[in-house]
Amino acid sequence: MAIGWYLSVSAIIFCIGSAGVLTHRNPLVILLCLELMLNAANLALVAFSRMWGGEDGQVFALIVMVVAACEVTVGLGLIVAIYRRRMPIDVDELNELQG
Amino acid sequence: MSAVLFFIAAIGAIAGAIGVVTLRNPFYSVLALVVHLICLAVLFLLLRAEFVAAAQVVVYAGAVMVLYVFVVAYVGGGEQMLGGAVLRVLGPLFALALAIELCIAMLGSALKGVSGKGAPYVSGFGTPAHIGTLFLTKYLFPFEVASILLLVAAVGAVVLARRRRGLEEPDEQFELRIRAPRPAYTGTMAEAAGTRIAETVPEPERVGDVSTHEGGW
Amino acid sequence: MAVTTFGWLILLCPLIGTTVIALLFKRLPGRSAGWIATTAIGLSFAFSIATLFALLSHSPDHRQFTSSLWDYDVSVGVDAKLSILVDPLSVFMALVVSGVSTLIHLYSVSYMTSDRGDSRYFAYLNYFVLSMLLLILAGNFMLLIVGWAFVGAASYLLISFWYRRTTATRAGLKAFVINVVGDVGLVLGTFFIFKHTGSVDFVKTFHEAPQVFTHNGTDITVACLLLLVGAFAKSAQVPLHTWLPDAMEGPTPVSALIHAATMVTAGVYLIARMHPLFEQSPTAADVGAIGGCLTLLIAATVGLVVTDIKRVIAYSTMSQIGYMIMGVSVGAYSAGLFHLMTHAFFKALLFMGAGSIIGAMAGNQSLDRMGGFRKALPFTFAAFVIGGLALSGLPPFSGWLSKDDIIAFLDNRGGGFLILGIAGYVGALLTAIYTFRMIFRAFFGDPVPEAVELEHGHLAHADVPTNPMTGEEEDTDVGFPGPGHFIAEREFPMKIAMGTLMILAVIAGVLQIPGVDDVVTKFLDPTFADSKFAGVEPSTGSAWLGLVIGAAIAVAGIAIAYRIWVVAPGTSTRVRERVPAVYRFLSNKWYFDELIDFLIVRPTLWFGRFTQNVLERVVISGAVTDGTTGLVRAGSAAVRRAQTGFLRYYAAVMVVCISGVALYFLISAT
């Protein structure tokens, strides 16, 4: 298949993910949608790596996966801490970090 | 054959994505994401990225999603309401706009960098051997940095989620540490911010000194 | 030892004195501060005499010595060193200053006995003598200015010595501000001179002056006029004289030393020292002479009506300094300086007597409340009479010879200066009248209660300490002014000091009898040898004529005063009622204070308020600082509104912006 197909799939998944981030209020689901977007990027990277013939894209994708894992870890830790403080798990309520 | 597989995997991935976004129960969203990840792994295999596909399944779907499942089980979530009135409409619209742009960029003749089938296949492309070599030669520094990042994230998660003393209800407090008394106004920020009441030290009795005590500096 | 070594020693003694007292006053036992100070100045006087003899041991042509301790600012174009100039003029002044200062220190030892601030007093007094000697012995403009400024500071410190009195502090401020005006004039004058001669050293400047300046040209005239501003401010000449009567707020010995004998003569010294420059600019010299003449007349008229005894003597000082300034401006250098010396003697004597009678009056200084002290205070009476006769110019007292020396010189120069000479005679008449007005009112007539008490041997004390000027009660819990009042009859040091001055006031005249000897002129000759007026002297005959006229005028003045105040008391009241406008004009001191207030003080205050309210508050605080901060704050408040705290809002912004960027790239790629 031409690379373009893979890239469009990646684009579609990316935009679905961003739509999810913009609409949900539960931080857990937002993190899930963030994972979607990261995966879409991974797909694009691997597709280009196939196109160019070097494995650099795949290495990049692996690093992205590492970063995603770390981010999920810390994010979920935050959510657990919020839950423990008995604060609402709702990004619209958690808005104290403002100007 | 690969085309058919591609379409199946692609449709599966997109369906999973839509499932993540639209399902109400966060637990079901997690399961949808697992489906999505597996389909993505198939796509990686189609692109001859064997190691990445394996890592995707083992690390992503296997570890990260399991972590997610645990947290969702702990935190729960129940019925999810979608966001505020404005963004409920506008959000998908923005995303749609972005999608259209990207597709135009991709499929239009504007982008010259996207060429047909791809480079000729080199044997060993995508194998752990090649990836490993790259990691240890050309991308050594990112490799090390990534490991430090993992360490930091692990420490951070532990710090964030541990039980913090002094901020829980009094019946959960563990009265083990020594509370060294400090004289009043010898200032910690906590005292200034009001989260800690200063304890005044009683003045040691000075024999023979009858001068009036003048507090403060 | 070399002449200049003695010169440095003259300066060293008061320096040590003031330092010791100032630093160690807590450890000094009892009242020893006064004796230390007196000893220091006494030693200084001894060294002055030694310098005199050392100087005399050289031939008259070689009596100018400079010595420099170190370079102060010797660099491109400037050559300021710490140097002194020892020549007849400076030795003469140093003798007068240190001699009279010793006697006044002795007097002060008794006068300040019960005052808790006496260590401070003696430290200041020694500091003053140091500054005056520094001024006199300075060998270049820089050190002169330093001494000049120090003297002003010492004057301020001593006038407002009893600083709990508002009148005293205000008087000190007034004196200092007017002195600063003079300082500015002096410094600017120095700059003008330096600009042309390129040197601040006296010897070099005077050598260069004839070559560099055109005779009566603008540059030298401006420079000399600026120097005159300085001299007038320091010597309390019109129009910079308003500080001197107010300066009587200080203790009486201070008035005696600073405002009679020494500091106010600094202006005379300045003109005498700068005589090569003044002779190059006759215009400036004429201005000086006219200023001196006006002052002597104005001050004499005011002295006729003031009722505070110290202020009568103050106006008399102003008037006599007018004579001296007139003298040195027109070229009568030795005459002017001779009058300076005799005036130091009898004026200090008069002030000391005033201190004594004020002590008898329990602090009150008003002539209206004094009377008939002749029997109660015989010694003080004698002091006043001798001082008064010397001041009025009765033969054979010293004031007669010195004052008429000046006037004779003026008459000799002729032309317009004759008018100044006649004005001098008029002034002499007025001098005699107001001096004896003071004496007759204080010592003749019916004894007032304080005098009666004193005749029975009991010194009066006031129930509550009051401010002599305003009469308001004041708080002396701080320890000063001290509760004790001292009169000469009971205090031995006072008697010694006054006695010495009495003798000097009588006999000092023998130094310069026309036709017989002219010790002062001959002594000062080396300094003034380069003057145009070096040989110009009135002939013996005309000098004696002038002396006879002077004597006649003095006798006439005393007779008039006797008539008005002793024979027919009440005459003065009748005269006053006849010309109330004149009386008001005179008793308001010719309205100079009001004039200066209107011309200078009010506009300055207005300007200050204006800058505060408009410039400071509106422009700088308001527009510049508050405006800038306001702008920044408004800007940041506007920007801050983008930080809402809503996560999804941020995400939406990011998505929109990324779409925008992508769109841009898309479009630019086509």
Side-chain angles (χ1 to χ4, degrees):
Chain A
M1 303 296 300
I3 293 294
W5 291 97
Y6 289 94
L7 294 179
S8 1
V9 169
S10 159
I12 291 170
I13 296 176
F14 185 84
C15 295
I16 294 173
S18 63
V21 165
L22 289 177
T23 48
H24 277 272
R25 278 165 69 173
N26 189 344
L28 280 170
V29 180
I30 292 181
L31 277 171
L32 284 176
C33 301
L34 226 50
E35 295 305 312
L36 273 181
M37 291 159 82
L38 281 166
N39 277 298
N42 269 357
L43 181 59
L45 278 167
V46 171
F48 275 118
S49 137
R50 174 73 175 92
M51 188 188 94
W52 289 113
E55 282 112 353
D56 302 332
Q58 295 177 27
V59 167
F60 202 154
L62 283 170
I63 302 285
V64 168
M65 249 187 263
V66 167
V67 169
C70 300
E71 162 224 331
V72 161
T73 315
V74 172
L76 290 177
L78 265 175
I79 292 175
V80 165
I82 291 173
Y83 180 72
R84 281 244 194 80
R85 305 269 182 291
R86 302 170 208 294
M87 289 196 275
I89 312 290
D90 181 348
V91 289
D92 283 351
E93 303 283 328
L94 301 167
N95 65 347
E96 275 174 27
L97 217 64
Q98 57 175 272
Chain B
M1 178 59 191
S2 63
V4 174
L5 202 51
F6 167 77
F7 274 111
I8 296 173
I11 289 171
I14 292 173
I18 293 175
V20 167
V21 169
T22 53
L23 287 171
R24 288 289 154 127
N25 198 334
F27 198 75
Y28 294 156
S29 302
V30 172
L31 294 176
L33 189 65
V34 171
V35 165
H36 165 85
L37 288 172
I38 308 261
C39 297
L40 225 57
V42 171
L43 283 174
F44 286 156
L45 276 175
L46 282 169
L47 285 169
R48 300 237 180 231
E50 306 150 6
F51 183 69
V52 179
Q56 172 93 328
V57 174
V58 170
V59 169
Y60 231 128
V64 175
M65 285 303 122
V66 168
L67 176 62
Y68 249 110
V69 165
F70 276 122
V71 172
V72 169
Y74 179 59
V75 170
E79 283 293 309
Q80 288 309 305
M81 283 190 298
L82 284 185
V86 174
L87 266 180
R88 201 197 291 190
V89 171
L90 276 185
L93 270 178
F94 289 153
L96 187 68
L98 190 58
I100 292 174
E101 271 181 43
L102 289 172
C103 289
I104 295 175
M106 226 84 65
L107 303 173
S109 56
L111 281 179
K112 307 267 193 308
V114 182
S115 74
K117 287 267 192 224
Y121 179 65
V122 176
S123 97
F125 177 80
T127 52
H130 280 214
I131 307 269
T133 317
L134 268 181
F135 260 128
L136 289 175
T137 53
K138 193 166 160 196
Y139 296 110
L140 181 60
F141 185 63
F143 178 59
E144 299 298 334
V145 170
S147 28
I148 292 177
L149 180 63
L150 281 167
L151 173 67
V152 167
V155 170
V158 168
V159 164
L160 276 174
R162 73 183 165 119
R163 288 187 176 270
R164 300 286 294 279
R165 277 196 268 248
L167 292 166
E168 314 260 350
E169 273 74 35
D171 53 76
E172 294 179 44
Q173 262 180 347
F174 197 50
E175 295 278 352
L176 185 62
R177 72 187 168 109
I178 304 162
R179 302 190 64 171
R182 295 180 76 130
Y185 303 112
T186 54
T188 53
M189 249 340 258
E191 184 180 303
T195 53
R196 178 202 176 112
I197 313 297
E199 301 152 20
T200 50
V201 180
E203 284 282 327
E205 289 292 314
R206 271 188 282 206
V207 182
D209 183 21
V210 292
S211 62
T212 51
H213 171 63
E214 285 170 358
W217 293 90
Chain C
M1 278 210 275
V3 174
T4 48
T5 323
F6 283 119
W8 288 113
L9 283 169
I10 299 178
L11 283 173
L12 189 67
C13 299
L15 178 64
I16 294 180
T18 182
T19 322
V20 164
I21 299 175
L23 293 178
L24 299 178
F25 71 97
K26 282 227 167 100
R27 315 244 177 99
L28 293 175
R31 302 274 143 193
S32 54
W35 293 111
I36 295 178
T38 316
T39 320
I41 307 297
L43 276 177
S44 189
F45 180 59
F47 283 127
S48 311
I49 299 183
T51 321
L52 172 72
F53 283 121
L55 201 68
L56 287 176
S57 69
H58 294 263
S59 74
D61 296 328
H62 295 110
R63 287 200 186 150
Q64 188 184 69
F65 299 94
T66 54
S67 150
S68 147
L69 267 191
W70 63 72
D71 292 349
Y72 187 69
D73 179 9
V74 176
S75 61
V76 175
V78 185
D79 59 342
K81 303 188 195 171
L82 210 70
S83 68
I84 58 170
L85 169 67
V86 180
D87 72 348
L89 175 61
S90 40
V91 171
F92 179 81
M93 294 286 305
L95 280 169
V96 171
V97 169
S98 51
V100 176
S101 304
T102 318
L103 295 170
I104 293 179
H105 273 80
L106 195 59
Y107 180 89
S108 307
V109 169
S110 315
Y111 194 81
M112 303 296 282
T113 305
S114 70
D115 195 308
R116 234 202 304 166
D118 72 321
S119 317
R120 182 166 54 104
Y121 174 84
F122 282 109
Y124 286 164
L125 214 58
N126 262 24
Y127 169 65
F128 166 77
V129 178
L130 167 71
S131 351
M132 190 71 202
L133 289 171
L134 192 67
L135 197 163
I136 292 171
L137 286 167
N140 57 18
F141 276 102
M142 185 206 83
L143 215 54
L144 175 77
I145 293 173
V146 168
W148 197 270
F150 277 5
V151 171
S155 165
Y156 162 75
L157 290 169
L158 285 163
I159 293 173
S160 46
F161 180 71
W162 288 319
Y163 53 81
R164 301 284 243 156
R165 269 189 203 167
T166 354
T167 44
T169 47
R170 243 185 265 140
L173 277 174
K174 188 173 175 181
F176 194 72
V177 169
I178 299 184
N179 262 296
V180 164
V181 172
D183 286 355
V184 169
L186 179 66
V187 169
L188 281 177
T190 311
F191 289 161
F192 264 88
I193 296 169
F194 174 73
K195 185 174 90 151
H196 289 276
T197 60
S199 164
V200 289
D201 190 63
F202 282 161
V203 177
K204 278 207 211 100
T205 309
F206 298 150
H207 192 71
E208 293 281 321
Q211 282 106 4
V212 177
F213 292 109
T214 57
H215 188 84
N216 220 11
T218 1
D219 286 333
I220 186 73
T221 312
V222 169
C224 287
L225 282 174
L226 287 168
L227 290 178
L228 269 181
V229 169
F232 275 22
K234 192 66 77 180
S235 295
Q237 303 296 292
V238 165
L240 295 162
H241 67 284
T242 47
W243 64 273
L244 188 59
D246 289 1
M248 297 298 118
E249 291 285 337
T252 312
V254 164
S255 308
L257 181 60
I258 301 187
H259 306 123
T262 42
M263 186 181 99
V264 289
T265 56
V268 182
Y269 166 77
L270 182 75
I271 300 180
R273 175 62 81 196
M274 305 288 158
H275 69 267
L277 301 172
F278 277 96
E279 281 173 16
Q280 278 250 290
S281 160
T283 322
D286 291 344
V287 170
I290 296 175
C293 182
L294 281 175
T295 308
L296 80 90
L297 287 174
I298 292 176
T301 52
V302 179
L304 286 172
V305 300
V306 281
T307 53
D308 187 312
I309 193 171
K310 279 176 75 171
R311 274 157 182 82
V312 175
I313 310 181
Y315 280 105
S316 149
T317 307
M318 221 189 279
S319 181
Q320 296 303 306
I321 307 255
Y323 274 103
M324 294 177 221
I325 297 254
M326 204 166 60
V328 290
S329 296
V330 302
Y333 302 116
S334 49
L337 290 163
F338 181 46
H339 192 57
L340 193 155
M341 183 175 84
T342 57
H343 173 262
F345 297 148
F346 57 70
K347 198 46 66 67
L349 178 65
L350 279 173
F351 266 114
M352 286 183 183
S356 179
I357 193 172
I358 290 170
M361 288 287 297
N364 192 288
Q365 292 175 214
S366 170
L367 271 178
D368 290 334
R369 297 226 5 228
M370 294 183 192
F373 269 99
R374 234 180 335 159
K375 264 209 288 200
L377 294 173
F379 186 79
T380 313
F381 177 55
F384 259 100
V385 167
I386 293 180
L389 288 174
L391 176 55
S392 316
L394 200 74
F397 294 90
S398 52
W400 172 55
L401 286 153
S402 57
K403 203 189 303 188
D404 289 294
D405 206 356
I406 299 178
I407 303 182
F409 191 98
L410 280 165
D411 295 338
N412 189 36
R413 272 195 71 179
F417 295 106
L418 195 59
I419 304 181
L420 295 181
I422 296 177
Y425 282 126
V426 172
L429 181 68
L430 292 172
T431 307
I433 298 179
Y434 68 66
T435 312
F436 276 89
R437 159 181 181 259
M438 174 178 69
I439 296 179
F440 290 144
R441 282 187 71 170
F443 291 95
F444 285 67
D446 296 320
V448 291
E450 284 89 354
V452 174
E453 266 190 69
L454 195 52
E455 281 173 39
H456 295 159
H458 175 250
L459 188 60
H461 283 278
D463 304 320
V464 226
T466 50
N467 183 330
M469 272 306 283
T470 58
E472 60 174 300
E473 225 177 278
E474 56 179 16
D475 145 44
T476 53
D477 288 344
V478 288
F480 44 82
H485 300 289
F486 303 97
I487 55 175
E489 281 71 7
R490 295 193 180 179
E491 303 289 331
F492 192 57
M494 280 180 166
K495 266 203 193 141
I496 298 183
M498 290 167 77
T500 319
L501 284 174
M502 284 201 268
I503 299 174
L504 283 172
V506 175
I507 65 167
V510 301
L511 286 175
Q512 192 114 325
I513 306 180
V516 177
D517 64 353
D518 47 355
V519 174
V520 177
T521 316
K522 273 224 265 294
F523 177 65
L524 291 173
D525 198 41
T527 313
F528 298 109
D530 56 349
S531 151
K532 304 195 269 228
F533 307 104
V536 176
E537 266 190 34
S539 65
T540 318
S542 56
W544 274 106
L545 179 63
L547 281 170
V548 167
I549 299 179
I553 289 180
V555 171
I558 299 176
I560 295 176
Y562 189 75
R563 196 166 162 87
I564 298 182
W565 279 286
V566 180
V567 171
T571 319
S572 59
T573 326
R574 279 200 300 275
V575 171
R576 194 194 312 169
E577 276 156 23
R578 216 88 70 84
V579 279
V582 175
Y583 178 72
R584 252 202 321 272
F585 185 66
L586 289 180
S587 74
N588 275 316
K589 301 159 267 179
W590 290 57
Y591 291 114
F592 265 107
D593 277 320
E594 286 78 5
L595 187 67
I596 290 180
D597 183 58
F598 180 71
L599 280 182
I600 297 174
V601 176
R602 284 222 199 128
T604 317
L605 285 176
W606 174 88
F607 186 63
R609 267 192 292 267
F610 171 73
T611 36
Q612 163 71 7
N613 287 335
V614 176
L615 278 186
E616 189 65 33
R617 212 174 283 164
V618 174
V619 175
I620 296 180
S621 290
V624 176
T625 45
D626 286 350
T628 349
T629 55
L631 266 177
V632 171
R633 257 198 221 126
S636 59
V639 171
R640 233 187 288 137
R641 260 183 254 124
Q643 303 283 329
T644 53
F646 289 111
L647 184 70
R648 291 181 300 118
Y649 169 77
Y650 297 157
V653 168
M654 267 191 252
V655 168
V656 168
C657 289
I658 290 174
S659 316
V661 169
L663 193 65
Y664 166 73
F665 278 118
L666 267 183
I667 293 177
S668 70
T670 52

